[in-house]
Amino acid sequence: MIFSEWFDEFYETYCEGVLSYDCATEYKIIFKRHYYPIANMELEKIKPIHIQRCLNTAKNYSTSRQRKVYFLLKRCLNEAVLNEYVTKNAAEKIKPPRNVKKDITLLTSAQLKHLLFEEETPDILMFKLELWTGLRRGELLALTWENINFQEGYILVCQTLVNSKGHPKIKHSTKSGADRRVPLCDESRRILSEIQIRDGSTKGFVLHNEKGEPLSFTAYHTHYRQFYKERQEIYPNTPYISPHKPRPTYATHLIQTGADIETTRRMLGHSSINTTAIYVHSTFDQMKAAADRLKYD
């Protein structure tokens, strides 16, 4: 059996319909872009040098992509071993690409003012809601007015928007599999109230299209890019941050204002505190202040 034939079987059994649509789609892209050096090779003839050739096709990509290329290939060949198509996994003798951690770009208070503290367009209100609640994109787009309890002051996060065969649908659970309550602060209350006034409705999705359906991820990204383009024309020094960066900004500012990491974990909806630690970043000023407080007596 050649590798491409086995990958098709592997994908159909372990990826398609098992993993999220976006993840499975990415794996298909990885196969086409990075595994072509071994696509027509017999499984038993694949050597470590051939694995390295596959990894070399990703050298100009991000560290995250390079590691996905390696670990997906390793998993695919492991399953081939378990199913007795080959006797050994050639990827076992190749070290995975190093996980190089880069400093995450966070917005400073001055940059936030440039972005947010002017006329509140619908796009600015959407971005503010992200920054003041820390919701994931899918959770934000699936948010309904019925999930918001103004009286007791919280958002019930119990569903998320996901892609299913290229089409968005509501999944009635969160990424961690557990519902959570996110407290509303004065500013998040005000933002939601402003959206409600402009929308003229207390039912349905908070962010929706003309048909009342939740905004798709495509529509969200279009709004997001347009919003940033307009702000950067006014404030050219404002760095672009990708749509998933408001969460680490939210988490870091929570910590800076006195929240402990366990409280932050619960507000973000992480199942593991190790995940939360990745999101939380100390600024240089915080590190300098810590150094200034250092004593040995």
Side-chain angles (χ1 to χ4, degrees):
M1 178 181 285
I2 63 173
F3 177 79
S4 60
E5 293 173 339
W6 166 244
F7 187 88
D8 286 342
E9 283 195 34
F10 166 82
Y11 183 85
E12 183 180 347
T13 306
Y14 301 105
C15 303
E16 193 172 30
V18 178
L19 306 175
S20 70
Y21 174 81
D22 289 341
C23 183
T25 300
E26 183 180 17
Y27 285 177
K28 200 74 169 178
I29 291 171
I30 287 174
F31 167 74
K32 292 180 180 179
R33 291 185 182 175
H34 305 292
Y35 297 161
Y36 63 84
I38 61 173
N40 296 315
M41 291 187 64
E42 294 289 335
L43 287 173
E44 281 288 2
K45 294 182 178 181
I46 296 175
K47 306 297 182 185
I49 191 172
H50 303 124
I51 303 298
Q52 188 60 54
R53 286 174 184 168
C54 292
L55 299 184
N56 289 346
T57 66
K59 63 182 180 181
N60 293 324
Y61 287 74
S62 67
T63 301
S64 174
R65 167 58 72 86
Q66 293 176 38
R67 288 173 63 82
K68 284 179 182 178
V69 169
Y70 171 80
F71 285 109
L72 174 60
L73 183 52
K74 184 177 179 180
R75 164 83 193 282
C76 179
L77 293 176
N78 269 341
E79 296 298 340
V81 173
L82 290 174
N83 285 278
E84 299 182 349
Y85 286 108
V86 289
T87 56
K88 56 186 177 181
N89 183 348
E92 295 282 0
K93 295 186 178 182
I94 298 292
K95 292 182 179 180
R98 291 182 60 189
N99 188 14
V100 180
K101 294 183 179 180
K102 297 181 179 179
D103 290 337
I104 291 181
T105 303
L106 302 174
L107 290 170
T108 66
S109 297
Q111 291 164 346
L112 284 171
K113 288 181 180 179
H114 288 168
L115 286 171
L116 306 174
F117 288 84
E118 292 188 21
E119 179 185 357
E120 291 189 317
T121 65
D123 290 346
I124 287 179
L125 285 170
M126 178 177 70
F127 187 50
K128 279 188 173 184
L129 187 58
E130 279 193 274
L131 281 168
W132 286 94
T133 61
L135 298 183
R136 298 179 177 94
R137 271 173 292 171
E139 294 169 347
L140 182 77
L141 298 176
L143 183 63
T144 66
W145 292 113
E146 290 78 9
N147 298 143
I148 300 168
N149 190 322
F150 282 104
Q151 185 175 356
E152 296 186 27
Y154 66 83
I155 293 172
L156 176 63
V157 184
C158 58
Q159 58 190 28
T160 187
L161 189 73
V162 297
N163 274 325
S164 176
K165 296 182 179 179
H167 302 285
K169 73 171 187 177
I170 297 296
K171 180 181 178 182
H172 296 285
S173 66
T174 64
K175 186 176 181 180
S176 64
D179 295 353
R180 73 182 189 279
R181 293 190 299 174
V182 175
L184 293 173
C185 63
D186 290 342
E187 182 61 11
S188 56
R189 280 176 180 270
R190 186 198 68 77
I191 294 165
L192 284 165
S193 296
E194 182 64 26
I195 293 173
Q196 197 171 72
I197 291 170
R198 295 187 184 204
D199 193 37
S201 176
T202 59
K203 294 183 179 180
F205 294 99
V206 175
L207 304 172
H208 58 81
N209 59 23
E210 294 179 353
K211 297 180 180 180
E213 301 166 337
L215 284 181
S216 66
F217 288 107
T218 300
Y220 168 89
H221 287 121
T222 299
H223 284 289
Y224 189 91
R225 285 192 295 269
Q226 183 61 32
F227 157 72
Y228 243 101
K229 180 181 177 182
E230 292 173 354
R231 305 317 292 166
Q232 287 182 317
E233 287 176 354
I234 302 172
Y235 302 104
N237 293 328
T238 299
Y240 178 82
I241 60 172
S242 62
H244 68 277
K245 292 300 191 296
R247 265 171 71 80
T249 298
Y250 171 81
T252 300
H253 281 269
L254 274 180
I255 294 291
Q256 290 175 351
T257 53
D260 60 75
I261 195 166
E262 172 59 19
T263 299
T264 303
R265 180 194 70 79
R266 295 182 64 184
M267 292 176 73
L268 290 171
H270 291 152
S271 56
S272 168
I273 205 165
N274 293 330
T275 305
T276 311
I278 295 172
Y279 277 62
V280 179
H281 303 270
S282 297
T283 65
F284 179 77
D285 288 341
Q286 285 179 293
M287 292 188 287
K288 186 176 184 304
D292 290 341
R293 292 193 300 268
L294 182 64
K295 293 182 179 179
Y296 289 105
D297 51 28

